[in-house]
Amino acid sequence: MTRGNRSKPEMLSRRRFLRGPAIAGLAGFASGSAFGRAPLLSVPTPRAAQAGALPAFEIVPPASSRITWTHANGRSAEMYLPETTGAGCAFLDYDNDGWLDIYLVNSGKCDFYNPQPPLRNALYRNNRDGTFTDVTETAGVASGGYGQGVAVGDYDGDGFPDIYLTQYGKSVLYHNNGDGTFTDATEKAGVAAPGWASSAVWFDYDNDGRLDLFVCRFVDFDKSKNKFCGNRETGQRYYCIPRVYEPMPSWLFHNNGNGTFTEVSKQSDIGKSPGKAWGVVATDINNDGWMDLFVANDTLANFLFANRGKGQFEEIGLQADVGYSADGRARSGMGVDSADYDQDGWMDLFVSNVDQEMYALYHNNHDEVFDDLAVATGIGMTTRLMSGWGVKFFDYDNDGDLDLFFANGHPDDRIEERYSQVKYKEPMLLFKNTGKGFQNVSDTAGPVFTQSFAARGMAIGDFNNDGAVDVLVSVNNAAPVLLKNNAGKQNHWLGVRLIGKTANPDAIGALITYQAGDLKRHRFKVGGGSYLSSHDPREVLGLGPHTKVDSLEIKWPQPSGKTERFTSLGADRYITIVEGQGIKM
């Protein structure tokens, strides 16, 4: 394809028509709309949703998990915008015991908020019995600033995951000491990212085997720049639409390999694109071996930073058809993710938006151009009156196909005073990948999908090691929601943790290909995704009814690029594969 700078009218004219590769897959797409549209195909009810079976997902009550922490947004009469945007959460195995722990981000002291007593974040250690213990103080990760999100990655390759905490004001890097404690390494590393940071992602943009760091920056904002939005006659305020604030460039930090980073936003061309960035995912949209970045912007066109090598990125959101809606409008992008959901060998993209805009499912046409298939799949109409934040592709029922989970909630807690059909608290959504399209199965997936939340961040991970990927949702100004997955146990699975040696330690960018009987699938390991959150580093490979994996191939990311192959692996267990060293039990 010729990468010209096509004009916006030219781009809109071609958007009105679906391209050939996309049309071929539409015949079987289901329209699982909450607005009563009839489905285009009939899909059998999953076994986990049949009468007498456990719900696909169920809430783990705090009395059972012992997670008693609650998010506080510090809502004020001035309605400062950061109050409504947090917060994030993470699954991570900070002590390398093979069991996922939980990190939760809170608000805290800043120029417009000084809570007394001070608020703090929370690190909960997994007790391996379904319960968790708060170890925040002993671990040294309480923070106290006005937190937003969290990104987890082993930036120094010592085998222990480190925590990058994004905040309004100044972000924090916690280095994992390997003994259950962390050290604040922000100043030494040079990654404070002053301003309003939102999501962040660890990934290796220059293929040198070290994890670099991209940090989304939202608008130019501080207490003195807070604007009045609302009814001036009555004086009643509501949270401003970000359109009224100025955009800012995001940060790209290059890992120097000695515990320090160099900020390279300008020379990489990342800094030439000021935005209002919320979510980010690192992926490879063109199969060239260089990790690209898809960034959701609020009231501005989304960014697709194509990695051209030699430390350079090209922003191609407009010509790739992922910047604007089909009618040429910038939407309010919040959460993002990337996966090859239709197994055609090319990574697709997803972004959640605010009400009246619909979410977007971007199918990759293999030429750095995408088609939005959200309407054709039923996702568009289902989400027309909703606002999405956390979003993730994952195989919740272990049938081998990647499904979609959405955590929703409107940003303005007074929206119902002005719009009767739009709600502040909204239900979560679950879309099942049928192999021919997506079907909304929220109505049959459990009582939790009938409840409403002001959901924000969302992370996925198997906290009880049963092979069924669970979900953690952070809720604005409320307690988090931990969802136990029961549906994954209806099929077999293999969990794989990858550790790079020549490749980056977290193996971001690795391609996993596996075959079990007549089931053949591949999985690309992205960096980040969702909103303000970080996920289980392991990949759970759904096997359907098959009881073993006949073959498993790992193509390690550059600078390694090597492929390792394993055969005849037993199912329903976790394995660790160390690059060049084989399987470690």
Side-chain angles (χ1 to χ4, degrees):
M1 143 184 180
T2 301
R3 298 191 191 102
N5 291 322
R6 283 183 274 178
S7 68
K8 189 171 176 181
E10 288 174 327
M11 299 302 297
L12 294 181
S13 66
R14 70 162 301 282
R15 270 193 207 101
R16 297 190 181 102
F17 303 94
L18 286 173
R19 296 166 61 91
I23 295 174
L26 287 182
F29 274 89
S31 174
S33 171
F35 294 87
R37 294 177 60 192
L40 299 179
L41 59 85
S42 176
V43 179
T45 302
R47 277 180 283 167
Q50 293 174 2
L54 292 172
F57 288 91
E58 62 178 323
I59 293 178
V60 180
S64 297
S65 69
R66 300 182 189 171
I67 297 175
T68 58
W69 177 95
T70 298
H71 179 259
N73 65 7
R75 188 187 187 285
S76 63
E78 291 79 13
M79 302 189 84
Y80 297 105
L81 194 53
E83 295 169 358
T84 191
T85 61
C89 57
F91 279 118
L92 74 162
D93 184 6
Y94 83 96
D95 53 359
N96 279 351
D97 66 350
W99 293 78
L100 288 180
D101 312 298
I102 286 174
Y103 190 74
L104 299 162
V105 181
N106 212 342
S107 307
K109 185 177 181 180
C110 65
D111 60 352
F112 62 80
Y113 187 45
N114 187 18
Q116 296 298 329
L119 300 174
R120 65 171 178 85
N121 299 346
L123 175 64
Y124 279 93
R125 187 187 67 230
N126 193 326
N127 297 325
R128 311 184 193 184
D129 60 1
T131 68
F132 294 81
T133 297
D134 189 335
V135 296
T136 312
E137 298 299 336
T138 55
V141 291
S143 183
Y146 203 96
Q148 290 287 276
V150 55
V152 177
D154 182 9
Y155 76 88
D156 59 350
D158 65 355
F160 288 89
D162 309 297
I163 297 173
Y164 186 75
L165 173 65
T166 62
Q167 298 190 141
Y168 162 74
K170 186 183 79 168
S171 297
V172 177
L173 175 63
Y174 286 118
H175 175 261
N176 192 328
N177 299 322
D179 60 359
T181 69
F182 291 76
T183 297
D184 186 338
T186 313
E187 297 306 318
K188 175 187 175 182
V191 292
W196 183 349
S198 52
S199 294
V201 60
W202 295 99
F203 76 122
D204 182 8
Y205 79 88
D206 56 352
N207 286 343
D208 65 355
R210 297 190 292 264
L211 287 174
D212 308 300
L213 179 65
F214 177 88
V215 183
C216 291
R217 185 171 185 179
F218 199 50
V219 297
D220 183 16
F221 179 88
D222 60 37
K223 181 179 180 179
S224 68
K225 296 175 182 176
N226 193 47
K227 298 181 184 295
F228 179 91
C229 295
N231 188 324
R232 292 195 177 275
E233 293 183 2
T234 64
Q236 186 179 52
R237 305 183 75 124
Y238 53 82
Y239 286 111
C240 290
I241 297 173
R243 187 176 293 111
V244 303
Y245 292 104
E246 293 298 314
M248 297 296 289
S250 293
W251 298 274
L252 179 63
F253 295 99
H254 175 259
N255 189 333
N256 299 323
N258 60 359
T260 70
F261 292 75
T262 300
E263 206 264 304
V264 294
S265 305
K266 291 183 180 178
Q267 52 263 52
S268 66
D269 285 351
I270 292 288
K272 292 182 179 179
S273 300
K276 302 177 183 181
W278 280 136
V280 60
V281 61
T283 184
D284 184 359
I285 63 159
N286 49 16
N287 291 339
D288 65 354
W290 297 95
M291 296 296 286
D292 312 300
L293 293 168
F294 181 49
V295 180
N297 278 318
D298 197 335
T299 69
L300 290 179
N302 299 321
F303 294 148
L304 181 55
F305 290 111
N307 190 336
R308 302 306 188 196
K310 298 182 180 180
Q312 297 299 303
F313 288 83
E314 179 186 4
E315 202 291 289
I316 62 169
L318 174 62
Q319 54 263 45
D321 275 7
V322 299
Y324 296 92
S325 66
D327 55 1
R329 291 182 296 176
R331 292 189 272 191
S332 299
M334 294 181 286
V336 297
D337 201 22
S338 179
D340 182 8
Y341 73 86
D342 58 353
Q343 293 289 293
D344 67 351
W346 297 78
M347 296 296 285
D348 309 298
L349 304 172
F350 195 95
V351 60
S352 57
N353 299 300
V354 81
D355 67 287
Q356 312 300 331
E357 295 179 347
M358 299 189 295
Y359 304 172
L361 173 64
Y362 291 116
H363 178 264
N364 192 326
N365 293 326
H366 313 173
D367 58 359
E368 296 190 355
V369 178
F370 294 76
D371 283 318
D372 186 355
L373 302 186
V375 173
T377 58
I379 294 173
M381 287 304 297
T382 303
T383 59
R384 185 174 64 85
L385 296 178
M386 304 188 77
S387 300
W389 302 84
V391 56
K392 207 77 180 84
F393 285 101
F394 70 103
D395 184 5
Y396 83 94
D397 54 0
N398 282 334
D399 65 353
D401 294 317
L402 292 171
D403 312 295
L404 271 167
F405 193 107
F406 307 134
N408 310 295
H410 201 277
D412 186 358
D413 60 2
R414 287 182 169 174
I415 190 65
E416 295 171 40
E417 298 174 10
R418 305 189 303 279
Y419 300 97
S420 60
Q421 290 185 294
V422 180
K423 305 299 181 184
Y424 174 59
K425 295 181 178 180
E426 299 175 352
M428 302 176 200
L429 291 174
L430 178 63
F431 275 79
K432 176 179 171 57
N433 187 338
T434 68
K436 297 179 180 179
F438 287 94
Q439 183 192 31
N440 184 1
V441 296
S442 309
D443 289 346
T444 59
V448 64
F449 293 94
T450 66
Q451 300 182 42
S452 295
F453 306 90
R456 297 295 186 262
M458 186 265 282
I460 62 167
D462 181 10
F463 77 86
N464 55 4
N465 283 346
D466 65 352
V469 179
D470 310 298
V471 176
L472 175 65
V473 178
S474 63
V475 182
N476 187 263
N477 208 40
V481 179
L482 179 61
L483 298 178
K484 178 183 176 183
N485 181 346
N486 297 309
K489 291 177 284 188
Q490 65 183 296
N491 285 310
H492 296 286
W493 55 278
L494 177 68
V496 179
R497 182 189 179 197
L498 300 179
I499 300 177
K501 290 300 181 179
T502 303
N504 68 83
D506 292 353
I508 303 300
L511 179 64
I512 304 171
T513 303
Y514 67 101
Q515 184 162 1
D518 59 354
L519 179 71
K520 186 174 183 179
R521 296 287 187 269
H522 57 263
R523 186 82 59 83
F524 185 82
K525 189 169 174 57
V526 302
S530 192
Y531 172 78
L532 304 184
S533 301
S534 196
H535 314 281
D536 190 338
R538 305 171 296 184
E539 296 287 338
V540 177
L541 311 176
L543 308 180
H546 306 287
T547 58
K548 72 171 184 175
V549 176
D550 298 312
S551 67
L552 174 69
E553 285 189 358
I554 310 298
K555 184 178 180 181
W556 296 92
Q558 298 292 339
S560 171
K562 295 180 180 178
T563 298
E564 296 186 73
R565 190 171 189 270
F566 307 89
T567 59
S568 193
L569 301 175
D572 303 330
R573 60 179 177 139
Y574 279 99
I575 61 173
T576 297
I577 300 177
V578 181
E579 182 187 359
Q581 300 177 22
I583 297 175
K584 304 293 183 180
M585 303 304 294

